[in-house]
Amino acid sequence: MTDEALKFTATQQDVGDGAPGATAAFPYDRMTVERFRKAFPRARWRDDFGAWFVPGTRAEQRLTKWMSREWSGVLAYADQRGRDAFAFEPIASPYLEVADGFLVRTPYSRTVVAELRAVPWARWDPGLKVWRVPFRSFEQLHKHWPAIEAAARLAEPAERRKRDESRKASPEQADRRSEAAERRRHRYPVPEDAIPPLGRVLMTHAGCLVFETVTGELVEPETAARFYPKVSTGPAALVWTTWRRPSHAELVQAWPARTSPGQADRGRGWWQPTIEVLREERRRAASLERALATRRAGRGILPQG
């Protein structure tokens, strides 16, 4: 059986009300539906199955016989109709070629992929790296083509570079770079009169951290206001501490808080995490450690410990 024939499926089913029959599924086409209804006048569309239901104990055999006899003719007729429609209203685009069907070749775009998957009979050809669409799908291809072409143009390398350059020049991008540079310094402000315990897993406005040292260096008010606005200065000055991310093992051993943090806890910038927070942090840490182990194995590095 050819790939095209596989697009028509017939399955014997019991609809649950005691009526035997079979379901038939095939890509929608008005003329195909008319020919099908003419061959099976008792067929009814079933939303619960997403297919046509044909009653009868031999319904599957009848459907299979009709498919083998009529389906190739149905496809040939639909293809000819698609050719005629394309000749009457062609699509002129650098992303579309015409051979024994349509060949759609575009830069990669998730939007393009989603649109083409919505076109009946469209399939990806990994050898040629193009999408193949038969003539019979021209009506649906024509319907989706404006979105496909617009997404393809946006995915062109030159357009991507323009957007990247525009983002790099924006004030928002400069702010993000500054925030990333601050995170790489692995420092965090805490009130001078509320120093956190060192070596323990604690929750902060920057996520779960383990504080390692207290430098004693005063935090500049401008830096605190720009990068750590949720940490309250209060009556005491802010000083810098150094931190690292906890391991999965440390998160598993961490003791959770019985209650959620209060306003005073959040104001000082650190508090004991709840069990819900620890569960999410453990999941994230386990995923990161697995990814790191996979990368190490790929480079031939033996696991530590």
Side-chain angles (χ1 to χ4, degrees):
M1 188 176 292
T2 65
D3 292 340
E4 291 180 342
L6 288 173
K7 295 291 185 179
F8 184 106
T9 60
T11 307
Q12 194 71 25
Q13 293 207 35
D14 183 351
V15 296
D17 56 6
T23 54
F26 51 88
Y28 174 79
D29 175 78
R30 183 174 59 83
M31 294 302 297
T32 303
V33 171
E34 289 181 5
R35 291 166 69 97
F36 176 79
R37 292 295 301 277
K38 184 177 181 180
F40 301 96
R42 296 175 62 197
R44 295 293 181 271
W45 176 258
R46 294 288 298 262
D47 284 328
D48 50 347
F49 291 131
W52 292 92
F53 180 75
V54 179
T57 56
R58 299 180 63 252
E60 183 180 6
Q61 298 177 25
R62 293 166 52 216
L63 286 167
T64 302
K65 185 177 180 180
W66 180 84
M67 178 189 68
S68 62
R69 183 182 67 250
E70 297 285 339
W71 194 238
S72 60
V74 168
L75 298 182
Y77 174 79
D79 279 334
Q80 185 57 51
R81 197 160 60 97
R83 287 190 185 92
D84 294 341
F86 177 73
F88 179 76
E89 189 178 2
I91 297 175
S93 172
Y95 303 112
L96 185 70
E97 303 173 26
V98 182
D100 54 346
F102 300 109
L103 303 181
V104 181
R105 182 181 282 107
T106 71
Y108 175 74
S109 165
R110 283 181 291 184
T111 301
V112 169
V113 172
E115 293 290 335
L116 283 169
R117 283 178 174 168
V119 176
W121 310 93
R123 63 183 180 88
W124 173 251
D125 186 333
L128 294 178
K129 295 184 178 181
V130 298
W131 281 88
R132 289 186 174 274
V133 182
F135 286 111
R136 72 188 76 107
S137 298
F138 174 71
E139 183 178 347
Q140 285 297 315
L141 182 65
H142 190 275
K143 175 183 175 182
H144 290 271
W145 192 255
I148 292 172
E149 185 162 35
R153 292 189 184 282
L154 288 175
E156 290 287 357
E159 290 297 324
R160 290 182 185 272
R161 284 194 296 271
K162 286 181 183 178
R163 291 197 298 275
D164 290 342
E165 291 170 0
S166 176
R167 281 195 295 267
K168 289 177 181 178
S170 67
E172 294 81 5
Q173 183 67 15
D175 290 340
R176 285 194 290 268
R177 286 198 299 267
S178 297
E179 291 171 2
E182 176 63 26
R183 286 195 301 272
R184 288 194 295 270
R185 301 183 73 170
H186 283 230
R187 62 181 186 176
Y188 190 83
V190 297
E192 192 176 28
D193 59 355
I195 301 298
L198 304 182
R200 281 178 50 186
V201 176
L202 296 171
M203 189 62 185
T204 72
H205 296 296
C208 270
L209 305 177
V210 174
F211 292 103
E212 295 187 302
T213 61
V214 180
T215 67
E217 180 185 357
L218 293 177
V219 178
E220 301 83 356
E222 298 80 7
T223 302
R226 181 178 182 185
F227 299 111
Y228 308 97
K230 295 181 180 180
V231 180
S232 175
T233 56
L238 293 178
V239 295
W240 288 116
T241 60
T242 62
W243 58 265
R244 62 175 173 81
R245 295 290 180 185
S247 66
H248 179 259
E250 288 175 316
L251 289 165
V252 170
Q253 295 171 2
W255 196 259
R258 292 184 178 181
T259 59
S260 299
Q263 185 175 358
D265 297 322
R266 292 184 177 275
R268 74 184 179 189
W270 59 270
W271 57 92
Q272 191 175 352
T274 61
I275 186 62
E276 292 78 15
V277 169
L278 284 174
R279 285 171 179 161
E280 178 60 23
E281 292 288 333
R282 290 166 185 168
R283 183 198 62 78
R284 187 181 294 113
S287 177
L288 290 174
E289 289 180 11
R290 283 196 299 270
L292 179 60
T294 300
R295 288 196 295 270
R296 287 178 176 272
R299 295 196 295 264
I301 302 174
L302 296 176
Q304 298 178 352

